[in-house]
Amino acid sequence: MTDSNQKPKVIIVPCSGIGKTYGTVSREAAYNVTEDLRPEDTRLVALSKLVLGDEEARSVVAANPAITIDGCKLACATKMVQESGGRIAQDYAVLEVYRRYKQFKPQGIAELNTGGEQLAQALANEIAQVVDELTSGKGGKKNG
Amino acid sequence: MTDYLEFTIDKFTFRIASNRFYSDEGVWAMPENTKIRIGISDYLQQRSGDVAFAEVKSVGTLVAFGGEFAVIETIKVNISLPSPVAGRVIEVNPAMETAPEAINQDPYGAGWLAVIEVTGGETSLRHLLDPQAYFAKIKLEAEREVKKE
């Protein structure tokens, strides 16, 4: 994916927190971007692969701009991308995103409520815009 | 400078500021002349999780002892906070509008919630727990919870 004939992809790394509402929101947003909104321009990398030191995951992250989505203040996604030698184009914290969309109160764990789904969608839309900026060479911003 | 009582249980360390009083629910109250500044304890904020929103009753509101003076929404729960005193809200921390995470970052300082002018000027807080009593209460509570796990 990084050879000269192919357009570089934006790497999306969500929180891996299982059993946590905000972690689920982060993953739903990531799936939405990578599968529906911008499948051609993005690639999902599982945080667990970076934690385990998976060589392919680390090299992909090191070679492409990354957008991280953290579910809590531990910011594992952001930290692991940094530790893997990646360049973070933008980092999102679900709590911060929720403060911007107070009307979408997320609840649920395995399955999000409507508010959680709407919040994930709103976050995905924001990420898609950043992806567009990155792929058009405008670059992203930090701390979303 | 504020002194703290402190205990560690499991991976958590809880601090109790020793210059104020506490309600059973974890609301602290600190007398300042004829006024009482209030906020929540480190124990309550750590147990409740990261604060998303904090809505404090507006300036001028009369609150009864035990009546709700604020609602905090965290990533885990919504908490209705009972006032530790009866009186009128005369000041609300403006940071609660823009940066409610101050509650998590500095619960005894920048994360204060409101200042209340006590009805009748009676600022005695004898009905509340002193720091030692609150320390003993939450330590026991935390130890019981750890044993349950």
Side-chain angles (χ1 to χ4, degrees):
Chain A
M1 69 176 287
T2 56
D3 72 39
S4 56
N5 295 326
Q6 287 184 302
K7 196 174 165 186
K9 292 205 174 194
V10 177
I11 305 304
I12 311 291
V13 185
C15 163
S16 66
I18 303 296
K20 307 278 188 188
T21 303
Y22 285 46
T24 305
V25 170
S26 76
R27 286 189 297 281
E28 288 298 325
Y31 300 150
N32 196 329
V33 173
T34 55
E35 293 172 9
D36 301 324
L37 295 178
R38 298 293 184 273
E40 302 299 321
D41 297 325
T42 58
R43 175 169 169 180
L44 182 74
V45 169
L47 177 57
S48 55
K49 286 197 168 183
L50 297 178
V51 173
L52 292 171
D54 180 277
E55 276 308 314
E56 194 208 342
R58 287 176 69 94
S59 62
V60 164
V61 162
N64 296 278
I67 295 175
T68 57
I69 316 168
D70 288 300
C72 77
K73 61 187 172 191
L74 293 177
C76 301
T78 298
K79 285 177 187 166
M80 278 313 302
V81 167
Q82 288 168 335
E83 283 184 23
S84 303
R87 176 174 70 80
I88 294 170
Q90 174 125 9
D91 55 330
Y92 285 94
V94 175
L95 181 59
E96 293 296 327
V97 178
Y98 175 39
R99 286 187 179 134
R100 294 201 295 276
Y101 297 96
K102 190 178 180 182
Q103 70 275 29
F104 302 149
K105 181 176 169 55
Q107 286 181 316
I109 296 170
E111 238 175 83
L112 291 173
N113 67 342
T114 304
E117 287 171 0
Q118 290 171 315
L119 184 63
Q121 182 67 55
L123 173 53
N125 291 340
E126 288 194 14
I127 293 171
Q129 283 186 7
V130 176
V131 169
D132 291 346
E133 289 172 13
L134 289 168
T135 52
S136 68
K138 288 181 187 167
K141 55 181 181 181
K142 296 268 288 181
N143 297 322
Chain B
M1 193 174 140
T2 308
D3 289 326
Y4 297 95
L5 302 172
E6 188 176 298
F7 71 95
T8 299
I9 192 156
D10 199 5
K11 60 185 177 185
F12 302 99
T13 296
F14 301 106
R15 298 198 308 166
I16 298 98
S18 56
N19 61 348
R20 59 201 79 190
F21 295 84
Y22 297 83
S23 70
D24 282 337
E25 295 84 5
V27 176
W28 58 255
M30 187 163 67
E32 292 178 355
N33 300 317
T34 60
K35 304 162 194 165
I36 308 284
R37 188 176 298 270
I38 55 182
I40 69 168
S41 72
D42 179 43
Y43 180 68
L44 181 56
Q45 72 82 11
Q46 286 200 55
R47 290 199 49 157
S48 305
D50 294 344
V51 174
F53 302 103
E55 289 181 11
V56 185
K57 298 282 187 195
S58 54
V59 169
T61 304
L62 282 171
V63 291
F65 167 65
E68 180 181 281
F69 79 93
V71 176
I72 289 176
E73 179 181 335
T74 77
I75 60 171
K76 297 179 186 171
V77 291
N78 283 5
I79 317 168
S80 168
L81 296 172
S83 177
V85 293
R88 185 185 301 275
V89 177
I90 59 167
E91 197 178 342
V92 172
N93 186 347
M96 294 303 114
E97 279 282 323
T98 53
E101 62 270 24
I103 295 171
N104 300 112
Q105 293 163 350
D106 188 10
Y108 297 121
W112 63 275
L113 295 172
V115 176
I116 292 184
E117 190 168 54
V118 178
T119 309
E122 173 54 67
T123 56
S124 166
L125 297 173
R126 283 186 304 247
H127 59 290
L128 299 176
L129 301 171
D130 63 27
Q132 290 74 20
Y134 183 66
F135 175 89
K137 176 191 179 320
I138 62 172
K139 187 164 185 282
L140 185 64
E141 197 174 298
E143 285 169 350
R144 278 184 182 153
E145 286 208 11
V146 166
K147 278 182 195 165
K148 266 194 237 168
E149 286 174 358

